[in-house]
Amino acid sequence: MLDHPHHELRQGHPQPASGPLGLRMKNAHGQFNEHVSPRLRQISNAVSVSWGDRTTPEDGWKVTHYSIQAYYREEHSCEPSVVRTSEDVDALIDDLATGPEFENLAVLHSSEREALPSGFPDHEFMVGADGRRQVGVLSFVAEKNFVSLGSSVSEGGTVTYFVSENPTEFPATAEIPLAVVRQAAQEFLSSGGQRPTCVQWQEPEVW
């Protein structure tokens, strides 16, 4: 199935969110911020190791076959999950939607994009799924921060999703139908890690 979590981005660019609204994993000097739990620190360090050790697959997969690393459970800090097929994407979304309440948000990275000099990926795609309400959230971080834009007219307010029990808050307006979340995750895989075009996006003022 899948593989991967948080990291630092190019110096001077926004850092991925991993805690309450507006908080980031690392500061501009690559040091962990105080709010980051030991578990997330372990996951983040695992990213740079696994990303730097990428090799050309020799198990029959073509070099052009895209894959994704995903992290959303505690064990993924040691051995991330790998998504290679459309079926894998569906299994990931189903797992988030029907699994434990505090493991309903995954951090994804595409193996097709280049790593930064630090060894970390140059992007981060977060996918959240709430199976009970049949909604979810998306975020995409590269040169800028984007979160999905739903049809909610709610003014203010946040919703919380969890990566391995660690909360991440999103604007309430970021929630979109679960079917669209699934479609966006499929597009992220098939496009080699590009920001999905099947979703409307917003640049939140604080996130």
Side-chain angles (χ1 to χ4, degrees):
M1 242 244 342
L2 6 131
D3 225 3
H4 213 188
H6 307 269
H7 56 273
E8 65 187 48
L9 295 185
R10 203 182 318 274
Q11 186 173 1
H13 289 167
Q15 303 294 312
S18 60
L21 215 60
L23 295 181
R24 299 292 181 251
M25 286 283 287
K26 293 186 177 183
N27 60 29
H29 302 290
Q31 300 170 325
F32 285 105
N33 291 322
E34 293 182 359
H35 73 279
V36 180
S37 69
R39 178 179 299 171
L40 276 184
R41 294 179 189 223
Q42 181 184 15
I43 290 176
S44 179
N45 290 331
V47 172
S48 62
V49 173
S50 64
W51 202 255
D53 290 343
R54 288 179 298 166
T55 57
T56 301
E58 298 178 355
D59 59 358
W61 291 99
K62 295 181 181 180
V63 175
T64 55
H65 192 100
Y66 297 154
S67 65
I68 296 171
Q69 295 179 324
Y71 292 71
Y72 57 97
R73 290 180 174 169
E74 182 177 2
E75 59 264 31
H76 294 157
S77 63
C78 299
E79 185 177 355
S81 231
V82 179
V83 176
R84 291 190 174 96
T85 68
S86 176
E87 290 76 14
D88 289 344
V89 172
D90 283 338
L92 165 63
I93 301 302
D94 290 344
D95 208 8
L96 294 173
T98 63
E101 179 182 356
F102 296 106
E103 293 180 347
N104 63 357
L105 179 67
V107 183
L108 311 180
H109 300 110
S110 171
S111 62
E112 303 310 307
R113 295 179 60 128
E114 294 296 323
L116 297 175
S118 63
F120 287 100
D122 70 344
H123 67 292
E124 177 177 276
F125 185 47
M126 299 184 77
V127 178
D130 184 330
R132 182 180 61 84
R133 296 189 297 123
Q134 288 296 293
V135 296
V137 292
L138 302 169
S139 73
F140 188 90
V141 178
E143 288 79 12
K144 296 182 178 180
N145 290 341
F146 292 95
V147 296
S148 46
L149 176 62
S151 57
S152 171
V153 295
S154 172
E155 294 185 7
T158 61
V159 291
T160 304
Y161 288 74
F162 298 84
V163 178
S164 185
E165 300 184 4
N166 291 274
T168 297
E169 292 183 347
F170 293 81
T173 55
E175 287 195 313
I176 57 178
L178 189 57
V180 179
V181 171
R182 189 183 301 271
Q183 182 181 355
Q186 295 283 4
E187 184 178 341
F188 181 72
L189 172 65
S190 63
S191 68
Q194 301 304 305
R195 179 159 57 95
T197 59
C198 64
V199 179
Q200 284 191 298
W201 298 94
Q202 59 181 316
E203 294 184 58
E205 293 183 4
V206 179
W207 192 73

